[in-house]
Amino acid sequence: MQTILTAAGLVQTGMVPASIPSPDWSGFDIPLPWGSLRIHAYALCILAGIVIGLWLTSVRWAKRGAPEGSVWDIAIWAIPFGIIGGRLYHVFSSPDAYFGPGFDGTGDLSLIPQIQRGGLGIWGAVVLGAFGAWIGCRRAGVKLTAFMDAAAPGLLLAQALGRWGNYFNQELFGGPTTLPWGLQVDADNANFPAGYPAGTLFHPTFLYESLWNIAGVLILLALDRRFHFRRSRLFWLYAMYYTLGRVWIEAMRIDDAEQISLFGITTRLNVWTSIFVFIAALAVFIVLGRRKGGDADSVYLPGRAPAPAVTEMADGGKPASGEAVAGASGDSASAPNVTGNPVRDTDRVVSDSESRGNLPDNQNGSGLASAQTEAVPASTGGTPTAAESRNTGKSGGTDTGTAPEADSSR
């Protein structure tokens, strides 16, 4: 208790600042033979977001049964397109620094490719990033909609980490506040707003958005586990969630931005963009939910799914000895009788001897085959009589009458 009271007293006396301090580090330099290479903290935050987002996406993508390694084949197209799209959106939504106020030509066009200074618009990153992902999906033979569902939580997680780049750049903060988590901004920083005294604390909108996005990751994962969204519905749910938070977070910012007047309301361009994206995402989510049919669970494009594996037998495809294999006609295998000898199904299978018995006798020209006669006991030593021959002429166990051999001897 004494420790808590001491800490509270230090806060009240100002010895422990109740605020988020401004960063005293924004990157480092790598010495090179011709100078040095500056690695900005902003770029490291973006890179960390990409890595952790891809990790989560790869885990979810593998669980969907996607081909191994395809997430990286898609990412190699989606990431460059996303960075270019994000930069282009930022340039045209905040054009003064690049083209001058009112596009009067007084801006500095050389600032456009300098991404390390900050400035990536999520809307441009998503649109062009999705186009790059479509190229990668076509090459990998998988559905873009399936990949969008797998990537939605990872995309939100990447944004949560990447947003900390604004902290190291001391940019995109909100209005002044006296809350204990107010953000300190260096008074000599170019982004410190004019008209405010040094030491003013500002809303850490980067922190608000980061926490909002992390909560969204957990929500999306829980909803997907419960409802198993398909056909890109989880992605559009992500779009609704993100824009819902972006509206109130964007409205708190005080940095220069394009102001748009619609329906008698003038506000920042990104606020209007968030509203329209939310409405569009909601409409698409509802329409996709009413669609029926199709193989929504498969991640493969039609005709691109791998062929099912064929199991080969150990002896090269031949059935093992003793196995009963049905013939092409579907006849059943012979079953042994009580003595161990096979018994044929006389209703469905005709024996070879019976078939030969129905063929003409080429030697004597008769229309019937010679009937088999029973063996004569050795004690008689003679030739079987005609009566004996008649009694032994059988077909399928039935007496056939006078044997052909007896008739031809007359």
Side-chain angles (χ1 to χ4, degrees):
M1 178 64 68
Q2 183 64 34
T3 303
I4 297 176
L5 293 176
T6 302
L10 290 175
V11 170
Q12 291 178 357
T13 57
M15 296 179 64
V16 177
S19 62
I20 301 175
S22 59
D24 55 5
W25 177 83
S26 62
F28 58 92
D29 296 315
I30 298 178
L32 298 173
W34 55 86
S36 62
L37 174 64
R38 180 68 176 175
I39 304 298
H40 292 263
Y42 178 88
L44 294 177
C45 291
I46 297 296
L47 181 60
I50 291 174
V51 171
I52 195 67
L54 279 178
W55 168 79
L56 180 57
T57 300
S58 64
V59 172
R60 290 173 47 79
W61 190 232
K63 290 182 178 179
R64 291 289 306 272
E68 184 178 359
S70 59
V71 66
W72 309 108
D73 297 333
I74 300 171
I76 201 172
W77 288 92
I79 292 174
F81 274 87
I83 293 176
I84 294 173
R87 185 60 173 176
L88 291 178
Y89 180 87
H90 168 75
V91 168
F92 287 101
S93 61
S94 302
D96 290 356
Y98 311 101
F99 304 101
F103 294 90
D104 59 5
T106 60
D108 187 357
L109 295 178
S110 66
L111 296 176
I112 294 178
Q114 298 183 35
I115 300 178
Q116 72 276 6
R117 293 177 175 268
L120 290 174
I122 184 60
W123 315 117
V126 170
V127 172
L128 273 192
F131 178 74
W134 175 79
I135 297 175
C137 288
R138 298 291 296 183
R139 293 170 64 89
V142 295
K143 298 176 182 177
L144 175 62
T145 53
F147 182 77
M148 291 166 66
D149 282 333
L155 179 58
L156 200 56
L157 183 59
Q159 291 175 241
L161 294 180
R163 187 55 73 182
W164 280 81
N166 299 140
Y167 167 70
F168 290 102
N169 277 1
Q170 300 191 55
E171 61 182 0
L172 304 183
F173 42 82
T177 181
T178 57
L179 293 172
W181 54 81
L183 176 66
Q184 297 180 14
V185 179
D186 294 334
D188 58 352
N189 189 281
N191 294 319
F192 191 90
Y196 291 95
T200 301
L201 301 181
F202 301 92
H203 278 286
T205 52
F206 79 92
L207 180 61
Y208 299 160
E209 186 169 330
S210 181
L211 295 176
W212 176 267
N213 291 346
I214 292 175
V217 172
L218 300 178
I219 293 173
L220 290 181
L221 292 176
L223 290 176
D224 192 40
R225 177 174 295 185
R226 173 65 178 84
F227 297 103
H228 304 287
F229 291 111
R230 296 295 183 265
R231 300 189 182 94
S232 74
R233 295 187 76 205
L234 188 67
F235 174 83
W236 295 110
L237 194 61
Y238 143 79
M240 285 188 286
Y241 177 86
Y242 177 73
T243 53
L244 187 63
R246 185 64 184 268
V247 167
W248 64 268
I249 295 173
E250 184 74 23
M252 297 177 67
R253 292 178 178 171
I254 59 174
D255 55 285
D256 293 335
E258 285 293 300
Q259 301 290 320
I260 303 296
S261 297
L262 292 174
F263 312 109
I265 302 174
T266 301
T267 187
R268 298 163 68 94
L269 171 63
N270 284 331
V271 173
W272 287 117
T273 304
S274 298
I275 293 173
F276 291 137
V277 171
F278 177 88
I279 295 173
L282 176 62
V284 174
F285 181 82
I286 295 174
V287 170
L288 292 176
R290 294 181 176 179
R291 289 180 56 185
K292 303 296 181 182
D295 189 2
D297 287 329
S298 175
V299 302
Y300 292 94
L301 290 170
R304 300 292 296 274
V310 178
T311 304
E312 296 183 357
M313 296 184 179
D315 57 357
K318 297 179 181 179
S321 176
E323 289 183 344
V325 181
S329 62
D331 297 339
S332 61
S334 299
N337 60 11
V338 293
T339 63
N341 298 323
V343 177
R344 296 184 179 273
D345 186 353
T346 57
D347 293 336
R348 301 181 61 185
V349 180
V350 180
S351 66
D352 293 341
S353 62
E354 291 168 351
S355 299
R356 288 194 298 270
N358 294 329
L359 296 176
D361 189 349
N362 294 331
Q363 293 180 354
N364 54 28
S366 63
L368 297 175
S370 298
Q372 296 180 349
T373 60
E374 294 181 358
V376 180
S379 60
T380 61
T383 305
T385 63
E388 292 173 341
S389 299
R390 284 195 302 271
N391 292 335
T392 58
K394 299 178 181 180
S395 176
T398 305
D399 191 357
T400 58
T402 305
E405 291 84 355
D407 293 340
S408 61
S409 64
R410 289 198 299 264

